[in-house]
Structure formats: C-alpha cells, structure tokens
Amino acid sequence: MMKQQPEQQNTRRYRYHTTSAVSYPVVRRRASSQCEDAQEPQAYVMPNATGRRVTTPHRAVQPPSWAERHARFSNPQVEQPTRGRLVPRTFAQTGVPAPVGQRRTNKPLPRQRASSTVPARRGRGISRFWRRLFGFLLILAVVGIGINFALSNPTFHVQRVHINGTQNAGLISAIQHMGIQGQDIFLLSQATVLGRLGALPLVGSASLDIQLPNTVTVTIQERVPVLLWQSGRTIYGLAQNGVAIALLSELSGSSHLATVVDKRQGVNMHPGTRIDAAQIVFAQQLLQQLPNVQGVAPFSLQYVDRITANGHTEPANQAGLGCYIVVSAQGWQAYMGDAVNSNPLANRLLELRQVLSIAQQEHVQLATIDLRFGLRPTYTVQA
C-alpha cells in the first residue's frame, strides 16, 4: 500500500498578509504542491490529523512604530496615501510571488492638523466668555455714567411748575411753595406730591404731569363749598364731605350760601377741620324745608352741644353729639335734634306745624319747642 505524502495533498496554507498597521492570515487553497515547492520558503509543518500546515515568510514586515506614524502625519511634506490608490502587491505582503495583479490599499487615517479641534474649541469658548463679560461691564459703565449725569446735571432739576384748574391765589401760592421746584425730575415722587396736594383743604383731586427736562404740570380740581359755617366771628366754607375749605373771604361766589352758627364751647375751627358729613346733609335739608313751614321765617340755624332747660344746662343730645336749633325772629326756639335721631325729619316738621298752629289758635307766645324725642313733642310759653 502506497504511503500518501502530505506534501502532494491539497492543503490550506495560512499566510500572513501585512499592511501598514495590521498583520492578518490569508487562507489560500493550493491545487498542487509540486510546482510551488521550488519557490516556497521553508515552512514549519504542524503535525495534525487534518494535514494542514502553516508557512511563514523568511522576513515578516512589521507595522510602523508610533514615532514613524506621528512623523508621517505631523509632517505635511510627506505624501499621504489617497483613497482608492492602487499599488502593486509584494512578496512580503502576500508570501508568494505575484507577477500580475493589484490590490487596493486600506482607507488611510484622516490627516490630522497641527492643533487638535478640542483645544481650539475650548479657546473659542473662553474668548467668547471674556467678550460677553467685557460687553456686560461696558453696558454697566455706560448706564452708571448716564445715571450720574442725569442726577448731577441741573438741566434735569424742576424749574417750572404750571398750575391748572384754579384761580385761587392762596392755593397757587401754597402749591408753588410746596418744594417741588428745584428737585431732580427723575427722583420726584409723584405719590408724595399727590399726597401733599390732597391734604390741602381746597384740593378735591389732583394730578401730576412730568415733562422732561424740567417742567411739572399740576392739575387741580377744587372743592366746592355747599354750606357756610360760622365759628365765633369767622365764617368758613364747608364741602359736601364736611371739610372746612377756607375762609369766606378766600372763596369766590359763596356768599349766597346759608349759614350755620356753631355755638359749641371749646371748638377751634380752621381750614381742614372736618365735621360729620351726615350733619352737613341734615343741615342742608333743614335749611331747604323750613321756609315751607308757616310761621317760621325769618329764622337762623344754630348748632349747639348743650341747651338750657328749667334754669340749668344739659347735654343737647343723649348720644353726645350736637343739636340743631331753629331760632325764630318771633323769639321762640325749636330743638330739632340732629341726623341720628330716630324720628324722621318729615315727622319733626309736621309736629312743628301743629305746635305753631296751636299757639296761633290760643294766642300764646311760644318760648321753646322740643322735637328731639320722637312722638312726644313738648313746648313752653313765655310768662
């Protein structure tokens, strides 16, 4: 039996193809070993049952070192392989002679620039931060300079104060001496100025208009007096809300208003003094309806806190408030009470008519008529 030689069998041989960076085995199938034994290098045969053998070339091509690769990529003068470039195969790469045929090289590594992209991006970010910081500081500086200029420049100090809505000389003088003029127009507090204007007795409402660079316009709506109030020898005009506006001499067109004489003790009236608004309304109603009662006119209306009865004085009102007294020219007085009495004013006026009618029928001279206690009117006659 003929001995089978492993050299003449079809075997797979592992050969190492090398590139610039990697070495890898290549499996080639050989049809006949007789025609290639003369050209093959010496090989080491691995004893195994399958008859495979691995051959290596005499001289293996080593990949380039790190320094060579670094020099090649960092030096722009060295020609770099391009994509798709065709080069002839070599014996060192294939392990066998290759008289014909070409192969494509692997895709080369991308050419690196001298400076990496990460440090460059970091540098751009840092420069952008400093640019933004410098811009922010520049804006702050400009704003600070502008504020300093606006606060220190006398051009922006109030130099003119225009007053509209009033012809009262006293009120105009009070507003002009309020301290508006000379203030910095940017620091002028409108709420403070309006509060001080509203505290003036003559001012019902006020508005403020600031006009750059140095003008302020004040628009006033005056309070209108509805009643005159005499305290001692001084007469004041009262607004609808009960505030004493000003002296009658300082008001124009108010001399035709009705007057209430205040007979209370220890009361010091002055502009700004406030009386209960309900009492003002009650006095207006009395002054309007009393002339319609026969036998009353002419008369005067007083406001007292104590009255004299049976030779001694007593509080005019149980609630501690005042009382209105109608003083007739015929010599009698009628205690009308005030706005808080439970008896309506219409009933009190009706009772006043009845008492006057009885006195006229009986031909008696009345002294007092007390209408403060509801349905129990009383009256006295002169001796």
Side-chain angles (χ1 to χ4, degrees), residues 204-247:
S205 62
S207 62
L208 206 64
D209 184 20
I210 297 177
Q211 302 170 354
L212 294 176
N214 52 19
T215 303
V216 174
T217 301
V218 180
T219 303
I220 295 298
Q221 184 177 0
E222 293 187 26
R223 286 192 174 101
V224 180
V226 297
L227 186 67
L228 298 181
W229 196 273
Q230 180 178 351
S231 178
R233 297 182 179 180
T234 309
I235 301 177
Y236 298 90
L238 295 186
Q240 189 65 54
N241 59 353
V243 175
I245 299 175
L247 295 174

Side-chain angles (χ1 to χ4, degrees), residues 91-232:
F91 179 80
Q93 293 173 333
T94 61
V96 295
V100 294
Q102 291 181 336
R103 72 176 183 88
R104 288 186 181 274
T105 59
N106 293 336
K107 181 179 179 181
L109 294 175
R111 180 178 178 181
Q112 298 182 355
R113 298 181 180 178
S115 60
S116 176
T117 57
V118 174
R121 187 180 300 112
R122 183 180 304 169
R124 288 196 298 270
I126 294 176
S127 62
R128 187 182 301 112
F129 168 76
W130 287 110
R131 286 197 301 269
R132 291 181 179 177
L133 180 61
F134 177 75
F136 177 72
L137 295 178
L138 181 62
I139 293 174
L140 287 182
V142 172
V143 172
I145 293 174
I147 293 176
N148 185 36
F149 175 77
L151 297 181
S152 60
N153 194 341
T155 305
F156 297 102
H157 291 179
V158 179
Q159 300 178 5
R160 293 185 294 273
V161 179
H162 299 312
I163 302 174
N164 299 330
T166 181
Q167 300 297 329
N168 190 300
L171 179 59
I172 293 175
S173 177
I175 295 175
Q176 289 178 346
H177 292 83
M178 193 173 289
I180 301 176
Q181 194 167 2
Q183 293 190 28
D184 191 284
I185 199 166
F186 296 106
L187 300 180
L188 183 64
S189 175
Q190 297 190 30
T192 302
V193 174
L194 292 177
R196 296 176 63 183
L197 289 173
L200 297 176
L202 274 171
V203 177
S205 62
S207 62
L208 206 64
D209 184 20
I210 297 177
Q211 302 170 354
L212 294 176
N214 52 19
T215 303
V216 174
T217 301
V218 180
T219 303
I220 295 298
Q221 184 177 0
E222 293 187 26
R223 286 192 174 101
V224 180
V226 297
L227 186 67
L228 298 181
W229 196 273
Q230 180 178 351
S231 178

Side-chain angles (χ1 to χ4, degrees), residues 27 30 36 56 112 161 222 272 316 324-325 331 352:
V27 179
R30 304 299 301 271
E36 297 178 357
T56 58
Q112 298 182 355
V161 179
E222 293 187 26
Y324 286 97
I325 298 180
L352 178 61

Side-chain angles (χ1 to χ4, degrees), residues 13-18 22-28 54-55 93-94:
R13 299 184 181 182
Y14 295 87
R15 305 183 187 277
Y16 291 88
H17 284 216
T18 61
V22 184
S23 298
Y24 55 91
V26 177
V27 179
R28 299 179 58 89
V54 179
T55 60
Q93 293 173 333
T94 61

